Amino acid sequence: MPTDYSLSLTELKNGLSVDSRCYPDLQAMMDACRADGLSPVICSAYRTQEYQEKLFQNKVDRLIAQGYSEADAPVEAGKSVAVPGTSEHQLGLAVDIVDINNQHLDETQESTAVQKWLMEHSWEYGFILRYPNDKSEITGIIYEPWHYRYVGHEDAEQIHSLGVCLEEYLEGVS
């Protein structure tokens, strides 16, 4: 992220914040999901550089404790926790959404009614499932069925209709 990057944040009811540009669409998506009888919970949104550094270092420390070398641990950590300065959460455009009855950030999310709804409808609100199951080799990040990124309505519709991840889409339009 550029050192001079600035954003305007809007605080959510739960105290988390998002980039103000995506707030109306996020609110509409959450309201529509709830209107269909579901209970989505935003468990992570905007993160500061300091908080991202803490998350990353915690993951590195856990991997070293598991036997990874000091050189290999940060590389492995970067597959599941964004390297500070590269996290979409630091942009305020990414949210982690879970089902109220399953608040674990793991693959069990994909079988919840909330995730099924979001995977089907998020693009209608300008959001995409950022790290799809079959795209880890391209994104460099593990499958995260809870991580949604705001890209705007037009791009989200294109990404959805093409069945591609953000990297593939950006490569195709550049």
Side-chain angles (χ1 to χ4, degrees):
M1 287 182 51
T3 54
D4 64 345
Y5 183 80
S6 66
L7 66 156
S8 173
L9 294 172
T10 297
E11 188 171 319
L12 306 176
K13 290 177 186 173
N14 64 4
L16 300 175
S17 298
V18 295
D19 185 304
S20 298
R21 296 172 293 174
C22 73
Y23 176 76
D25 289 326
L26 175 62
Q27 202 56 49
M29 180 172 75
M30 297 297 282
D31 289 347
C33 188
R34 289 184 190 106
D36 280 350
L38 305 174
S39 299
V41 174
I42 297 172
C43 64
S44 186
Y46 170 73
R47 296 179 188 158
T48 64
Q49 173 77 14
E50 296 76 22
Y51 186 64
Q52 191 65 33
E53 288 170 0
K54 179 182 173 185
L55 289 176
F56 187 78
Q57 190 59 52
N58 286 345
K59 182 65 174 180
V60 169
D61 293 345
R62 286 194 310 273
L63 290 169
I64 289 171
Q66 292 174 14
Y68 282 84
S69 72
E70 300 246 350
D72 291 341
V75 173
E76 188 64 25
K79 295 177 183 175
S80 58
V81 178
V83 174
T86 67
S87 173
E88 294 179 342
H89 287 284
Q90 289 179 257
L91 297 172
L93 297 172
V95 289
D96 292 342
I97 305 172
V98 295
D99 189 297
I100 197 165
N101 296 312
N102 179 356
Q103 297 190 35
H104 303 285
L105 296 181
D106 61 27
E107 288 189 21
T108 63
Q109 277 301 315
E110 74 181 352
S111 63
T112 66
V114 165
Q115 293 308 332
K116 290 176 183 179
W117 189 97
L118 289 168
M119 288 178 190
E120 184 178 340
H121 297 285
S122 63
W123 66 272
E124 297 168 15
Y125 301 90
F127 286 84
I128 58 168
L129 177 65
R130 181 61 180 93
Y131 302 112
N133 191 19
D134 57 346
K135 303 291 184 175
S136 294
E137 291 293 321
I138 298 166
T139 66
I141 303 292
I142 63 165
Y143 173 45
E144 294 188 352
W146 58 84
H147 184 103
Y148 291 85
R149 160 74 186 267
Y150 188 75
V151 295
H153 288 264
E154 184 179 317
D155 291 322
E157 183 176 359
Q158 287 294 311
I159 289 167
H160 175 75
S161 67
L162 294 169
V164 297
C165 65
L166 184 58
E167 286 80 1
E168 293 170 309
Y169 179 70
L170 293 174
E171 188 176 289
V173 298
S174 58

